[in-house]
Amino acid sequence: MPDSTVPPTPPVPLSALLARDDLALRRIAGPDDPGTVVHWVHTSEMADPYPYLLGGELLLTAGVHIPEAAGSGTYFDDYVSRIVAAGGAALGFGVAPVHDTVPRALVAACERYGLPLLEVPEQTTFSGVARAVWQLMAQARLSELRRVTEAQQSLASAASRPDPVPSVLRQLAQRLGGWAVLYGPEGAEIARAGREPGAEVGSALAELAGVVRPAEAGAGPPAGAPSAGAGRPAPTPGARPPAGTSRAGGAMQPGGPAEGGRLGGSADNRRSRPGGEATDAGRPQTQPAGRPSPSAQPPTPAPPNRPHPTSATDTVSGTHLAAYALGAGRRGFVLGVAAPGRAPGDHTIVSVAAVLLSLLTGEQQSGTGAARSSALVRLLLGAAPEDVAPLLGDGRRWVVVHARPDGEGVPDAVAASALGAALGSALVDPAGDVLRVLVPADRAPDPLPGWTLGVSAAVAPEDWPAADTQAARALARARATRAPLLRHAPRPALADLVPHDEAAAHARTLLAPVTAHPALPETLRTWLSLHGSWDRTAVALSVHRNTVRQRIARCATLLEADLDDPDVRMELWFALRQI
């Protein structure tokens, strides 16, 4: 479990505090470690501050507790050793009003015990130091929140692209500066992105994915995967670690799978109390290659009635690894990430990606799915669209959206699901390279990155076929004009002045010579809608411009009409809208 003594605010590097000109702090003893951080500030004049420290503090003192004969005994050694045992991050000594200088014996003791010692000048108050620490914490927290927010937005945008899974993985790898991979139920890699690690790290990540994948979901890492590396004990086949464990340095270690909101590992900058070995947190104790740690044992199988872990962490060759079971692990998909470091907010960013990937790889089994199935059965058995529409939602009016990815290739089922989620509808029909989506009219579609959309007018269910035609024409025009989205804009037209039956009869008579060739009416309609542009018509129809020229010439011949005449074009356009 996360350490409840560590505050939720991000720690402050001691170097950032020393860089403040207004404080004028000076390091006079102890290691110059850029990794030293301060969790909070505490002032004490106790000779033994151990009982009052939680760890990670910058302890401030004016030396009131120091006896006159302290320099000739072990007083300073005892004092500093207790601060180190309590996990103190650094000691600040104020040179007024009690002492004019920092005692030399205190400087020597801090050097011996490796505790950073700061000289606090007379003009700097202890309250000023505390205020500076909290200001730096607030800035770090704001920077972390801004980073997480930007990452959430970019991941959500990636999930709506035509290739949602690779796009999400690319964004995640970019945000972490590492590698992201999606494993299938059998352990095979479905997609990957980012800077690939070495064979040892890649194998360790595949092994870690097997830790969080239920035994019934798959068979662990794919066959033929490279070994986990020298010095890493092979896991027992089918064995799984107990829930609530994490991996560090190749051996399972106690601790939550996502400690304190960080990307794995134990709480930072914590040292053990007396009676336990003092180690630097977050630094795994590794063994030489080929010599397994005596304490490293194969994972013990979890009891059948114990919850299976849904996430796990590891550290291999200085690379931090994490694996997340998607969809609570029921389907066997696992997200694995490998990053060179653990920055604040990494765990939150990976969690957002895991949720998005769970939705993209998940199966929709809900009451809504049952209603859609019922609507389909009723339509197949002869029910009218207006009778089954209430099963699909509360909307009384609908729009039809035709969508086509900007790049090459045919969108798959995952892309179709992602598009439906972005448009707010699960009624998606993959029809070749075009996806058709039925969307309630109150959810007005917006342009989506990577897609070209054509949107129909809002219609009642009985007019769905007409709306489908409108959306198809809007998509063709959007592709021809390279617009991300075009809507059909209904308005009173000349055709409304003529009875529909009479208009349809006139259209059939006028267009009879070309209707025997299905490609000709559609080419003529598209060409007229694009003001006679050969290039745009070719793009809209996905044919060569010479093919367009040949078809239009054929139409002119069969209709015995001059297609350069505006009156002829207007009459043909009127007729084409009736068929």
Side-chain angles (χ1 to χ4, degrees), residues 7-12 38-39 136-142 144 262 344:
T9 53
V12 172
V38 174
H39 283 283
L136 292 172
M137 284 184 175
Q139 294 172 5
R141 182 60 173 167
L142 180 61
E144 176 186 342
R262 296 183 175 87

PDB file of all heavy atoms in Angstrom, residues 7-12 38-39 136-142 144 262 344:
ATOM      1  N   PRO A   7       3.435  13.069   1.721  1.00  0.00           N
ATOM      2  CA  PRO A   7       2.373  14.000   1.334  1.00  0.00           C
ATOM      3  C   PRO A   7       2.035  13.859  -0.146  1.00  0.00           C
ATOM      4  O   PRO A   7       2.855  13.399  -0.943  1.00  0.00           O
ATOM      5  CB  PRO A   7       2.986  15.372   1.628  1.00  0.00           C
ATOM      6  CG  PRO A   7       4.467  15.155   1.544  1.00  0.00           C
ATOM      7  CD  PRO A   7       4.702  13.761   2.037  1.00  0.00           C
ATOM      8  N   PRO A   8       0.806  14.234  -0.548  1.00  0.00           N
ATOM      9  CA  PRO A   8       0.412  14.111  -1.952  1.00  0.00           C
ATOM     10  C   PRO A   8       1.085  15.122  -2.860  1.00  0.00           C
ATOM     11  O   PRO A   8       1.040  14.986  -4.068  1.00  0.00           O
ATOM     12  CB  PRO A   8      -1.104  14.339  -1.902  1.00  0.00           C
ATOM     13  CG  PRO A   8      -1.322  15.191  -0.682  1.00  0.00           C
ATOM     14  CD  PRO A   8      -0.281  14.741   0.305  1.00  0.00           C
ATOM     15  N   THR A   9       1.705  16.153  -2.288  1.00  0.00           N
ATOM     16  CA  THR A   9       2.381  17.154  -3.111  1.00  0.00           C
ATOM     17  C   THR A   9       3.692  16.600  -3.639  1.00  0.00           C
ATOM     18  O   THR A   9       4.327  15.775  -2.991  1.00  0.00           O
ATOM     19  CB  THR A   9       2.651  18.426  -2.289  1.00  0.00           C
ATOM     20  OG1 THR A   9       3.341  18.065  -1.099  1.00  0.00           O
ATOM     21  CG2 THR A   9       1.350  19.116  -1.940  1.00  0.00           C
ATOM     22  N   PRO A  10       4.133  17.041  -4.810  1.00  0.00           N
ATOM     23  CA  PRO A  10       5.391  16.530  -5.355  1.00  0.00           C
ATOM     24  C   PRO A  10       6.580  17.034  -4.547  1.00  0.00           C
ATOM     25  O   PRO A  10       6.559  18.145  -4.024  1.00  0.00           O
ATOM     26  CB  PRO A  10       5.403  17.097  -6.776  1.00  0.00           C
ATOM     27  CG  PRO A  10       4.515  18.295  -6.724  1.00  0.00           C
ATOM     28  CD  PRO A  10       3.462  17.988  -5.712  1.00  0.00           C
ATOM     29  N   PRO A  11       7.632  16.235  -4.416  1.00  0.00           N
ATOM     30  CA  PRO A  11       8.818  16.687  -3.666  1.00  0.00           C
ATOM     31  C   PRO A  11       9.567  17.767  -4.430  1.00  0.00           C
ATOM     32  O   PRO A  11       9.396  17.945  -5.638  1.00  0.00           O
ATOM     33  CB  PRO A  11       9.642  15.401  -3.531  1.00  0.00           C
ATOM     34  CG  PRO A  11       9.234  14.571  -4.701  1.00  0.00           C
ATOM     35  CD  PRO A  11       7.785  14.869  -4.938  1.00  0.00           C
ATOM     36  N   VAL A  12      10.408  18.489  -3.708  1.00  0.00           N
ATOM     37  CA  VAL A  12      11.187  19.586  -4.284  1.00  0.00           C
ATOM     38  C   VAL A  12      12.652  19.193  -4.299  1.00  0.00           C
ATOM     39  O   VAL A  12      13.199  18.797  -3.254  1.00  0.00           O
ATOM     40  CB  VAL A  12      10.995  20.874  -3.458  1.00  0.00           C
ATOM     41  CG1 VAL A  12      11.941  21.965  -3.936  1.00  0.00           C
ATOM     42  CG2 VAL A  12       9.556  21.347  -3.529  1.00  0.00           C
ATOM     43  N   VAL A  38      13.187  17.182  -1.121  1.00  0.00           N
ATOM     44  CA  VAL A  38      12.609  17.583   0.164  1.00  0.00           C
ATOM     45  C   VAL A  38      11.089  17.462   0.075  1.00  0.00           C
ATOM     46  O   VAL A  38      10.472  17.978  -0.861  1.00  0.00           O
ATOM     47  CB  VAL A  38      13.001  19.037   0.508  1.00  0.00           C
ATOM     48  CG1 VAL A  38      12.286  19.499   1.773  1.00  0.00           C
ATOM     49  CG2 VAL A  38      14.515  19.146   0.675  1.00  0.00           C
ATOM     50  N   HIS A  39      10.499  16.748   1.016  1.00  0.00           N
ATOM     51  CA  HIS A  39       9.042  16.582   1.049  1.00  0.00           C
ATOM     52  C   HIS A  39       8.366  17.670   1.882  1.00  0.00           C
ATOM     53  O   HIS A  39       7.209  17.995   1.637  1.00  0.00           O
ATOM     54  CB  HIS A  39       8.667  15.212   1.607  1.00  0.00           C
ATOM     55  CG  HIS A  39       8.857  14.095   0.626  1.00  0.00           C
ATOM     56  ND1 HIS A  39       7.985  13.839  -0.397  1.00  0.00           N
ATOM     57  CD2 HIS A  39       9.852  13.181   0.515  1.00  0.00           C
ATOM     58  CE1 HIS A  39       8.411  12.804  -1.101  1.00  0.00           C
ATOM     59  NE2 HIS A  39       9.541  12.382  -0.568  1.00  0.00           N
ATOM     60  N   LEU A 136       7.711  26.150  -4.457  1.00  0.00           N
ATOM     61  CA  LEU A 136       8.257  25.215  -5.441  1.00  0.00           C
ATOM     62  C   LEU A 136       7.353  23.999  -5.600  1.00  0.00           C
ATOM     63  O   LEU A 136       7.193  23.468  -6.708  1.00  0.00           O
ATOM     64  CB  LEU A 136       9.664  24.787  -5.034  1.00  0.00           C
ATOM     65  CG  LEU A 136      10.731  25.883  -5.091  1.00  0.00           C
ATOM     66  CD1 LEU A 136      12.033  25.394  -4.468  1.00  0.00           C
ATOM     67  CD2 LEU A 136      10.970  26.306  -6.544  1.00  0.00           C
ATOM     68  N   MET A 137       6.758  23.548  -4.511  1.00  0.00           N
ATOM     69  CA  MET A 137       5.823  22.422  -4.592  1.00  0.00           C
ATOM     70  C   MET A 137       4.600  22.785  -5.428  1.00  0.00           C
ATOM     71  O   MET A 137       4.130  21.991  -6.250  1.00  0.00           O
ATOM     72  CB  MET A 137       5.383  22.001  -3.185  1.00  0.00           C
ATOM     73  CG  MET A 137       6.413  21.222  -2.412  1.00  0.00           C
ATOM     74  SD  MET A 137       5.769  20.679  -0.811  1.00  0.00           S
ATOM     75  CE  MET A 137       7.142  19.677  -0.224  1.00  0.00           C
ATOM     76  N   ALA A 138       4.086  23.999  -5.208  1.00  0.00           N
ATOM     77  CA  ALA A 138       2.915  24.428  -5.967  1.00  0.00           C
ATOM     78  C   ALA A 138       3.233  24.532  -7.458  1.00  0.00           C
ATOM     79  O   ALA A 138       2.425  24.136  -8.317  1.00  0.00           O
ATOM     80  CB  ALA A 138       2.408  25.767  -5.439  1.00  0.00           C
ATOM     81  N   GLN A 139       4.421  25.046  -7.780  1.00  0.00           N
ATOM     82  CA  GLN A 139       4.817  25.136  -9.190  1.00  0.00           C
ATOM     83  C   GLN A 139       4.956  23.748  -9.808  1.00  0.00           C
ATOM     84  O   GLN A 139       4.526  23.512 -10.942  1.00  0.00           O
ATOM     85  CB  GLN A 139       6.130  25.905  -9.299  1.00  0.00           C
ATOM     86  CG  GLN A 139       6.033  27.367  -8.907  1.00  0.00           C
ATOM     87  CD  GLN A 139       7.392  28.041  -8.849  1.00  0.00           C
ATOM     88  OE1 GLN A 139       8.420  27.447  -9.199  1.00  0.00           O
ATOM     89  NE2 GLN A 139       7.416  29.287  -8.403  1.00  0.00           N
ATOM     90  N   ALA A 140       5.557  22.818  -9.061  1.00  0.00           N
ATOM     91  CA  ALA A 140       5.713  21.459  -9.570  1.00  0.00           C
ATOM     92  C   ALA A 140       4.368  20.782  -9.757  1.00  0.00           C
ATOM     93  O   ALA A 140       4.134  20.064 -10.736  1.00  0.00           O
ATOM     94  CB  ALA A 140       6.594  20.648  -8.625  1.00  0.00           C
ATOM     95  N   ARG A 141       3.460  21.018  -8.820  1.00  0.00           N
ATOM     96  CA  ARG A 141       2.124  20.421  -8.921  1.00  0.00           C
ATOM     97  C   ARG A 141       1.373  20.976 -10.123  1.00  0.00           C
ATOM     98  O   ARG A 141       0.718  20.226 -10.859  1.00  0.00           O
ATOM     99  CB  ARG A 141       1.329  20.701  -7.643  1.00  0.00           C
ATOM    100  CG  ARG A 141      -0.060  20.088  -7.621  1.00  0.00           C
ATOM    101  CD  ARG A 141       0.002  18.586  -7.750  1.00  0.00           C
ATOM    102  NE  ARG A 141      -1.302  17.974  -7.565  1.00  0.00           N
ATOM    103  CZ  ARG A 141      -1.577  16.713  -7.864  1.00  0.00           C
ATOM    104  NH1 ARG A 141      -0.625  15.933  -8.370  1.00  0.00           N
ATOM    105  NH2 ARG A 141      -2.770  16.227  -7.662  1.00  0.00           N
ATOM    106  N   LEU A 142       1.471  22.285 -10.342  1.00  0.00           N
ATOM    107  CA  LEU A 142       0.811  22.904 -11.488  1.00  0.00           C
ATOM    108  C   LEU A 142       1.394  22.371 -12.798  1.00  0.00           C
ATOM    109  O   LEU A 142       0.646  22.076 -13.747  1.00  0.00           O
ATOM    110  CB  LEU A 142       0.969  24.424 -11.422  1.00  0.00           C
ATOM    111  CG  LEU A 142       0.321  25.226 -12.559  1.00  0.00           C
ATOM    112  CD1 LEU A 142      -1.183  24.995 -12.585  1.00  0.00           C
ATOM    113  CD2 LEU A 142       0.628  26.709 -12.405  1.00  0.00           C
ATOM    114  N   GLU A 144       2.781  19.468 -13.211  1.00  0.00           N
ATOM    115  CA  GLU A 144       2.328  18.082 -13.364  1.00  0.00           C
ATOM    116  C   GLU A 144       0.893  18.013 -13.870  1.00  0.00           C
ATOM    117  O   GLU A 144       0.570  17.230 -14.774  1.00  0.00           O
ATOM    118  CB  GLU A 144       2.445  17.362 -12.012  1.00  0.00           C
ATOM    119  CG  GLU A 144       1.904  15.945 -12.020  1.00  0.00           C
ATOM    120  CD  GLU A 144       1.912  15.323 -10.631  1.00  0.00           C
ATOM    121  OE1 GLU A 144       2.639  15.833  -9.747  1.00  0.00           O
ATOM    122  OE2 GLU A 144       1.202  14.335 -10.424  1.00  0.00           O
ATOM    123  N   ARG A 262       2.374   6.743  -8.385  1.00  0.00           N
ATOM    124  CA  ARG A 262       3.543   6.789  -9.231  1.00  0.00           C
ATOM    125  C   ARG A 262       3.606   5.519 -10.062  1.00  0.00           C
ATOM    126  O   ARG A 262       2.953   4.537  -9.775  1.00  0.00           O
ATOM    127  CB  ARG A 262       4.814   6.941  -8.392  1.00  0.00           C
ATOM    128  CG  ARG A 262       4.844   8.262  -7.626  1.00  0.00           C
ATOM    129  CD  ARG A 262       6.159   8.381  -6.862  1.00  0.00           C
ATOM    130  NE  ARG A 262       6.279   9.676  -6.225  1.00  0.00           N
ATOM    131  CZ  ARG A 262       5.799   9.952  -5.018  1.00  0.00           C
ATOM    132  NH1 ARG A 262       5.170   9.035  -4.342  1.00  0.00           N
ATOM    133  NH2 ARG A 262       5.953  11.158  -4.494  1.00  0.00           N
ATOM    134  N   PRO A 344       6.600  12.647 -12.215  1.00  0.00           N
ATOM    135  CA  PRO A 344       5.279  12.819 -11.611  1.00  0.00           C
ATOM    136  C   PRO A 344       4.191  12.874 -12.681  1.00  0.00           C
ATOM    137  O   PRO A 344       4.340  13.545 -13.701  1.00  0.00           O
ATOM    138  CB  PRO A 344       5.400  14.164 -10.872  1.00  0.00           C
ATOM    139  CG  PRO A 344       6.865  14.324 -10.610  1.00  0.00           C
ATOM    140  CD  PRO A 344       7.557  13.693 -11.790  1.00  0.00           C
TER     141      PRO A 344
END
